[in-house]
């Protein structure tokens, strides 16, 4: 039985075995207290070891980080916030953790330090809470789509498609398992292709997802995507997970409704299923806020912020309206944006965050971007200048979703591929879906880690994925 379940039991004489990792051990005159955690919950169970119940020798091995099994009976707890504790009769030590060497001693560790020991950080309260919230959100994703008659489509990870330049790619090369060919200077000679074809790791499953929508009507992908981002921002990873619904017969308006309904569902799901973890992360955030200047402190707590988003309509405005608002802002007039604002620019994160955090103070859906800054597959508006694109912007994050109604007119799509210099032969399979039985459709991509960032209140994307892959980390 895991600690989460045990903590909900009533005291009894029945003998129980509880296994986990020691968080702390406190020894006083005739008794030792062991806080044990097994990752099933943010809460520890307290083991009470009365004098003589366990040998001195064994007790010495019970140090922070050690893995043990405690056997005993559940008794009422005098401590705050827990109703039961374990009166310990015996302890088995599975694995010790030398206090001189184990890095996670009970004190506050910086997130930077914990990033360097990503193999151990899930044992901290903060990271175990984040991983449980991440799990719940992943579950929410599948639950939402399943409840709404979407089919889960698995799109290729290794692909010849470059998704029209959504990001820099990682090239896939082949290497024989034994005796790889060597270059003259003795280095491994990677073959430059995959069985004679140029391939890369997928940057987005969208184009293949669209093929699914053209047959099954409603599909979604949820898989890893790879971009050789060398930007080192707090919002970009080289390997991240993307959720991409594609829906036949949906137009831009439906796409916005889906994006809003879906994100709200996921946030509500996490609030409902991870209340304890979110409360813990909220407290952590409050401590962090105290170190900030008064005017920079958040007005809402994490839970309040999450509730607010689920209970209020997202603001919906066009790109052109957004540009006008930005142009009229004091920040622009005083020349305080690093990137100057004018119609036609690709909005920078500073502009997006100003709109969301300073102006509207809620999530914003921006639509109808200039065609020149968006991908070729987005449906042209009547004016011929803008496309039916939409980006969803979240407070504290900026862009969380990018999507659009897709161009369904074969001739127009062909024209756009030529304009942007894409060779017809390279995406003949995509073009065929517009040649045969084309249908209006729309979809979007949500960066899963950006959603986890928002729900956990963390501020660096490296802290919401178990094994962050960035230009600096390649351990795993
Ligand atoms: P950004 O402007 O933040 O670089 P993007 O416009 O390049 O994002 P899209 O191609 O629209 O990204 O991908 C869809 C979604 O995937 C984005 O809205 C974002 O949530 C997420 N995303 C994109 N790149 C990354 C990345 N490197 N790491 C994590 N998430 C990402
Ligand atoms: Mg990008
Ligand atoms: Mg973008
Ligand atoms: Mg985008």
């Amino acid at each position: 039985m895991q600690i989460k379940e045990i903590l909900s039991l009533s005291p009894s004489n029945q003998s129980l075995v509880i296994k986990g990792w020691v968080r702390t051990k406190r020894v006083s005159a005739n008794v030792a207290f062991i806080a044990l955690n097994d990752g099933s919950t943010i809460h520890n169970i307290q083991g009470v070891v009365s004098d003589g119940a366990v040998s001195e020798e064994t007790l010495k091995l019970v140090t922070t980080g050690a893995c043990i099994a405690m056997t005993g009976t559940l008794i009422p707890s005098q401590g705050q916030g827990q109703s039961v504790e374990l009166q310990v009769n015996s302890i088995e030590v599975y694995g010790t953790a030398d206090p001189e060497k184990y890095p996670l001693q009970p004190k506050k560790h910086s997130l930077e330090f914990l990033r360097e020991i990503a193999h151990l950080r899930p044992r901290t309260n903060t990271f175990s809470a984040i991983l449980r919230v991440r799990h719940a959100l992943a579950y929410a994703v599948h639950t939402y789509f399943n409840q709404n008659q979407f089919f889960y489509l698995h799109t290729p990870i290794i692909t010849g498609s470059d998704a029209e330049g959504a990001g820099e790619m990682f090239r896939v090369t082949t290497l024989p398992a034994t005796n790889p060919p060597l270059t003259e200077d003795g280095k491994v000679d990677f073959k430059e292709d995959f069985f004679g074809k140029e391939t890369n790791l997928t940057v987005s499953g969208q184009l293949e997802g669209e093929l699914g929508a053209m047959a099954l009507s409603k599909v979604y992908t949820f898989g890893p995507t790879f971009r050789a981002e060398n930007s080192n921002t707090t919002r970009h990873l080289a390997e991240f997970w993307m959720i991409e619904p594609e829906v036949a017969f949906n137009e831009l308006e439906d796409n916005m409704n889906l994006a809003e309904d879906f994100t709200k569902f996921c946030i509500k799901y996490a609030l409902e299923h991870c209340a304890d973890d979110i409360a813990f992360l909220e407290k952590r955030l409050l401590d962090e806020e105290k170190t900030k200047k008064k005017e920079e402190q958040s007005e809402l707590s994490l839970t309040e912020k999450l509730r607010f988003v689920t209970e209020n309509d997202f603001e919906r405005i066009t790109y052109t309206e957004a540009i006008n608002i930005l142009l009229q802002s004091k920040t622009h007039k005083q020349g305080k944006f690093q990137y100057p604002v004018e119609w036609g620019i690709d909005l920078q994160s500073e502009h997006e965050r100003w709109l969301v955090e300073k102006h509207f103070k809620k999530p914003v859906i921006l639509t109808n971007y200039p065609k020149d800054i968006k991908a070729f597959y987005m449906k042209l508006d009547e004016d011929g200048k803008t496309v039916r694109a939409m980006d969803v912007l979240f407070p504290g994050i900026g862009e969380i979703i990018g999507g659009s109604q897709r161009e369904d007119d074969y001739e127009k799509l062909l024209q756009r591929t030529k304009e942007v210099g894409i060779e017809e032969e390279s995406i003949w399979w995509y073009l065929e879906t517009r040649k045969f039985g084309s249908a209006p459709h729309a979809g979007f991509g949500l960066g899963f880690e950006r959603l986890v960032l928002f729900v956990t209140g963390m501020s660096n994307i490296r802290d919401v994925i178990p094994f962050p892959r960035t230009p600096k980390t390649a351990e795993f």
Side-chain angles (χ1 to χ4, degrees):
M1 214 188 292
Q2 289 199 292
I3 292 173
K4 185 176 180 187
E5 201 180 330
I6 289 171
L7 286 174
S8 66
L9 300 178
S10 310
S12 94
N13 288 331
Q14 215 187 332
S15 181
L16 271 181
V17 185
I18 309 180
K19 299 168 186 176
W21 291 267
V22 176
R23 287 283 204 258
T24 55
K25 182 181 70 177
R26 234 169 358 104
V27 185
S28 64
N30 300 318
V31 60
F33 298 98
I34 299 168
L36 197 73
N37 190 283
D38 63 1
S40 62
T41 160
I42 192 76
H43 304 294
N44 301 326
I45 182 128
Q46 174 155 276
V48 184
V49 191
S50 305
D51 210 11
V54 171
S55 76
E56 280 287 313
E57 241 175 13
T58 304
L59 210 52
K60 244 195 218 151
L61 301 178
V62 179
T63 57
T64 297
C67 184
I68 65 168
M70 315 191 289
T71 306
T73 52
L74 278 188
I75 55 170
S77 172
Q78 313 301 325
Q80 260 190 356
Q82 67 210 14
S83 60
V84 287
E85 56 193 25
L86 193 78
Q87 181 72 52
V88 177
N89 303 324
S90 71
I91 289 179
E92 181 181 350
V93 179
Y94 291 131
T96 57
D98 183 347
E100 298 289 316
K101 296 187 183 140
Y102 184 61
L104 291 175
Q105 293 306 317
K107 63 169 184 135
K108 212 168 158 50
H109 299 285
S110 75
L111 295 170
E112 290 77 15
F113 169 70
L114 293 175
R115 255 169 246 149
E116 283 166 21
I117 50 163
H119 58 299
L120 292 174
R121 69 179 184 172
R123 296 191 193 177
T124 63
N125 287 333
T126 301
F127 282 90
S128 63
I130 293 168
L131 291 180
R132 283 186 298 269
V133 173
R134 186 181 165 103
H135 161 82
L137 284 169
Y139 219 87
V141 169
H142 290 300
T143 306
Y144 178 87
F145 287 124
N146 193 45
Q147 280 177 3
N148 287 281
Q149 293 79 45
F150 280 72
F151 295 105
Y152 182 21
L153 187 78
H154 300 96
T155 51
I157 307 291
I158 296 177
T159 169
S161 147
D162 67 357
E164 47 42 63
E168 298 285 309
M169 296 176 298
F170 290 104
R171 184 76 176 268
V172 173
T173 63
T174 48
L175 181 65
T178 52
N179 301 325
L182 301 178
T183 58
E184 274 173 16
D185 51 0
K187 294 204 173 114
V188 173
D189 190 4
F190 287 102
K191 288 210 179 112
E192 270 302 301
D193 53 31
F194 175 78
F195 304 120
K197 275 207 159 173
E198 275 184 22
T199 48
N200 51 271
L201 295 178
T202 184
V203 286
S204 156
Q206 179 203 320
L207 299 187
E208 292 94 342
E210 284 189 41
L211 311 182
M214 288 297 148
L216 299 170
S217 293
K218 293 166 92 172
V219 300
Y220 72 105
T221 73
F222 183 7
T225 40
F226 307 84
R227 296 186 186 182
E229 312 265 18
N230 206 354
S231 51
N232 267 317
T233 75
T234 54
R235 302 284 177 273
H236 293 89
L237 290 162
E239 176 178 317
F240 64 101
W241 287 66
M242 186 127 75
I243 297 145
E244 297 175 279
E246 286 295 330
V247 190
F249 319 117
N250 262 10
E251 302 198 356
L252 185 60
E253 178 88 15
D254 311 301
N255 209 30
M256 288 195 266
N257 294 342
L258 176 65
E260 183 166 342
D261 193 47
F262 168 65
T263 44
K264 283 179 171 172
F265 176 90
C266 292
I267 297 167
K268 266 191 231 155
Y269 189 96
L271 276 168
E272 217 172 278
H273 291 81
C274 303
D276 287 0
D277 289 320
I278 291 175
F280 173 83
L281 292 165
E282 172 169 306
K283 194 173 160 297
R284 189 194 155 274
L285 218 54
L286 281 175
D287 292 344
E288 209 173 72
E289 288 278 304
K290 282 184 203 145
T291 64
K292 290 188 188 161
K293 282 189 239 146
K294 192 118 197 114
E295 59 273 20
E296 282 169 16
Q297 288 179 5
S298 166
E299 288 159 27
L300 300 180
S301 72
L302 178 61
T303 316
E304 285 167 343
K305 195 174 80 176
L306 299 177
R307 288 236 169 83
F308 178 85
V309 167
T310 62
E311 287 164 6
N312 289 280
D313 290 343
F314 293 4
E315 192 69 36
R316 298 180 183 194
I317 56 164
T318 65
Y319 167 91
T320 304
E321 284 165 337
I323 290 287
N324 288 335
I325 293 171
L326 285 164
L327 284 174
Q328 281 156 23
S329 71
K330 257 200 208 143
T331 317
H332 169 73
K333 288 186 177 155
Q334 295 172 349
K336 286 193 181 149
F337 283 124
Q338 199 188 336
Y339 294 88
V341 180
E342 61 172 318
W343 198 94
I345 61 159
D346 199 358
L347 291 179
Q348 299 297 315
S349 156
E350 57 170 343
H351 306 130
E352 297 176 340
R353 293 187 60 173
W354 183 89
L355 285 167
V356 176
E357 289 156 31
K358 299 274 190 294
H359 192 76
F360 289 109
K361 298 188 191 296
K362 50 156 57 174
V364 177
I365 310 185
L366 284 187
T367 60
N368 308 87
Y369 283 71
K371 70 170 185 195
D372 293 337
I373 57 169
K374 288 290 181 189
F376 77 100
Y377 51 70
M378 300 193 180
K379 189 166 179 65
L380 263 183
D381 282 316
E382 276 78 48
D383 66 4
K385 282 194 239 159
T386 54
V387 285
R388 294 199 193 155
M390 63 165 216
D391 272 13
V392 182
L393 315 177
F394 259 48
I397 308 283
E399 178 182 336
I400 191 165
I401 287 178
S404 69
Q405 183 173 341
R406 315 305 188 192
E407 183 57 80
D408 49 88
D409 182 304
Y410 177 69
E411 293 302 333
K412 282 190 187 150
L413 186 64
L414 201 57
Q415 175 64 26
R416 284 291 289 147
T417 56
K418 285 188 186 134
E419 272 171 33
V420 301
I422 296 174
E423 283 172 30
E424 222 180 301
E425 304 81 69
S426 70
I427 50 159
W428 63 275
W429 46 274
Y430 183 73
L431 292 167
E432 281 211 345
T433 57
R434 273 65 168 173
K435 208 188 239 173
F436 308 124
S438 183
H441 69 288
F444 62 79
L446 166 80
F448 184 54
E449 283 72 22
R450 295 201 186 169
L451 179 66
V452 185
L453 262 183
F454 183 70
V455 175
T456 56
M458 299 301 287
S459 45
N460 191 321
I461 199 159
R462 293 164 183 75
D463 298 332
V464 298
I465 186 163
F467 308 104
R469 171 92 52 216
T470 62
K472 282 197 188 135
T473 55
E475 274 89 356
F476 307 103

